[in-house]
Coordinates of all heavy atoms in Angstrom, one line a residue:
E4 N 0.8 -1.2 0.0 CA 0.0 0.0 0.0 C 0.8 1.3 0.0 O 0.5 2.2 -0.6 CB -0.9 0.0 1.2 CG -2.1 -1.0 1.1 CD -3.1 -0.7 2.2 OE1 -2.8 -0.4 3.3 OE2 -4.3 -0.9 1.9
K5 N 2.0 1.3 0.7 CA 2.8 2.5 0.9 C 3.7 2.7 -0.3 O 4.3 1.7 -0.8 CB 3.5 2.4 2.2 CG 2.7 2.4 3.4 CD 3.6 2.4 4.7 CE 2.8 2.3 5.9 NZ 2.1 1.0 6.1
S6 N 3.9 3.9 -0.7 CA 4.8 4.2 -1.8 C 5.2 5.7 -1.7 O 4.4 6.5 -1.1 CB 4.3 3.9 -3.2 OG 3.2 4.7 -3.5
V7 N 6.3 6.1 -2.3 CA 6.6 7.5 -2.5 C 7.0 7.7 -4.0 O 7.5 6.8 -4.6 CB 7.8 7.9 -1.6 CG1 7.4 7.8 -0.1 CG2 9.0 7.0 -1.8
S8 N 6.8 8.9 -4.4 CA 7.2 9.2 -5.8 C 7.9 10.5 -5.9 O 7.8 11.4 -5.0 CB 5.9 9.3 -6.7 OG 5.0 10.3 -6.2
V9 N 8.7 10.7 -6.9 CA 9.5 11.9 -7.1 C 9.6 12.2 -8.6 O 9.6 11.3 -9.5 CB 10.9 11.8 -6.5 CG1 11.7 10.7 -7.2 CG2 11.7 13.1 -6.6
G10 N 9.6 13.5 -8.9 CA 9.8 13.9 -10.3 C 10.1 15.4 -10.4 O 10.2 16.0 -9.3
F11 N 10.4 15.9 -11.5 CA 10.7 17.3 -11.6 C 10.3 17.8 -13.0 O 10.2 17.1 -14.0 CB 12.1 17.7 -11.3 CG 13.2 17.3 -12.3 CD1 13.5 18.1 -13.3 CD2 13.8 16.0 -12.2 CE1 14.5 17.7 -14.2 CE2 14.8 15.7 -13.1 CZ 15.1 16.5 -14.1
G12 N 10.1 19.2 -13.1 CA 9.7 19.8 -14.4 C 10.5 21.1 -14.5 O 10.9 21.7 -13.6
L13 N 10.6 21.5 -15.8 CA 11.3 22.8 -16.1 C 10.7 23.4 -17.3 O 10.2 22.7 -18.2 CB 12.8 22.7 -16.2 CG 13.3 21.9 -17.4 CD1 13.5 22.8 -18.6 CD2 14.6 21.2 -17.1
R14 N 10.7 24.8 -17.3 CA 10.3 25.5 -18.5 C 11.4 26.6 -18.7 O 11.6 27.5 -17.9 CB 8.9 26.2 -18.3 CG 7.8 25.2 -18.4 CD 6.5 25.9 -18.0 NE 6.2 27.1 -18.9 CZ 5.7 27.0 -20.1 NH1 5.4 25.8 -20.7 NH2 5.5 28.1 -20.8
E15 N 12.1 26.5 -19.8 CA 13.2 27.4 -20.2 C 12.8 28.1 -21.5 O 12.3 27.5 -22.4 CB 14.5 26.7 -20.4 CG 15.6 27.5 -20.8 CD 16.3 28.3 -19.7 OE1 16.1 28.0 -18.6 OE2 17.1 29.2 -20.0
S16 N 13.0 29.4 -21.5 CA 12.5 30.2 -22.7 C 13.6 31.1 -23.2 O 14.5 31.6 -22.5 CB 11.3 31.0 -22.4 OG 11.6 32.0 -21.4
Y17 N 13.5 31.4 -24.5 CA 14.2 32.5 -25.1 C 13.2 33.5 -25.6 O 12.2 33.1 -26.3 CB 15.1 32.0 -26.3 CG 15.5 33.1 -27.2 CD1 16.6 33.9 -26.8 CD2 14.9 33.5 -28.4 CE1 17.1 35.0 -27.6 CE2 15.3 34.5 -29.1 CZ 16.4 35.3 -28.7 OH 16.8 36.4 -29.5
T18 N 13.4 34.8 -25.3 CA 12.5 35.8 -25.6 C 13.2 37.0 -26.3 O 14.2 37.5 -25.8 CB 11.7 36.3 -24.4 OG1 11.0 35.2 -23.8 CG2 10.7 37.4 -24.8
S19 N 12.6 37.4 -27.4 CA 13.0 38.7 -28.0 C 11.8 39.7 -27.9 O 10.8 39.4 -28.5 CB 13.4 38.5 -29.5 OG 13.7 39.7 -30.1
A20 N 12.0 40.7 -27.2 CA 10.9 41.6 -26.9 C 11.2 43.0 -27.4 O 12.4 43.5 -27.3 CB 10.6 41.7 -25.4
E21 N 10.2 43.7 -27.9 CA 10.3 45.1 -28.4 C 10.7 46.0 -27.2 O 10.0 46.0 -26.2 CB 9.1 45.5 -29.0 CG 9.1 47.0 -29.6 CD 7.7 47.4 -30.2 OE1 6.7 46.8 -29.8 OE2 7.7 48.3 -31.0
D22 N 11.7 46.9 -27.4 CA 12.1 47.8 -26.3 C 12.3 47.2 -25.0 O 12.2 47.8 -23.9 CB 11.0 48.9 -26.2 CG 10.8 49.8 -27.4 OD1 11.8 49.9 -28.2 OD2 9.7 50.2 -27.6
G23 N 12.8 45.9 -25.0 CA 13.0 45.2 -23.8 C 14.5 45.3 -23.3 O 14.8 44.9 -22.2
A24 N 15.3 45.9 -24.1 CA 16.7 46.0 -23.8 C 17.0 47.1 -22.8 O 16.2 48.0 -22.7 CB 17.6 46.2 -25.0
P25 N 18.0 47.0 -21.9 CA 18.3 48.1 -21.0 C 18.5 49.4 -21.7 O 19.1 49.5 -22.8 CB 19.6 47.6 -20.4 CG 19.6 46.2 -20.5 CD 18.9 45.9 -21.8
G26 N 17.8 50.4 -21.2 CA 17.8 51.7 -21.9 C 16.8 51.9 -22.9 O 16.6 53.1 -23.4
G27 N 16.1 50.9 -23.3 CA 15.0 51.0 -24.3 C 15.5 51.2 -25.7 O 16.7 51.4 -26.0
G28 N 14.6 51.2 -26.7 CA 14.9 51.5 -28.1 C 15.4 50.3 -28.9 O 15.6 50.4 -30.1

């Protein structure tokens, strides 16, 4: 009856955003 389970997940992204750079523009 007894058990234990383990797992893991990840979400990694690359984003290119308008005016998202330091200083803008």
Side-chain angles (χ1 to χ4, degrees):
E4 290 192 318
K5 297 182 182 66
S6 65
V7 293
S8 62
V9 62
F11 71 90
L13 66 89
R14 287 175 57 83
E15 176 79 16
S16 68
Y17 166 79
T18 302
S19 173
E21 180 183 24
D22 297 331

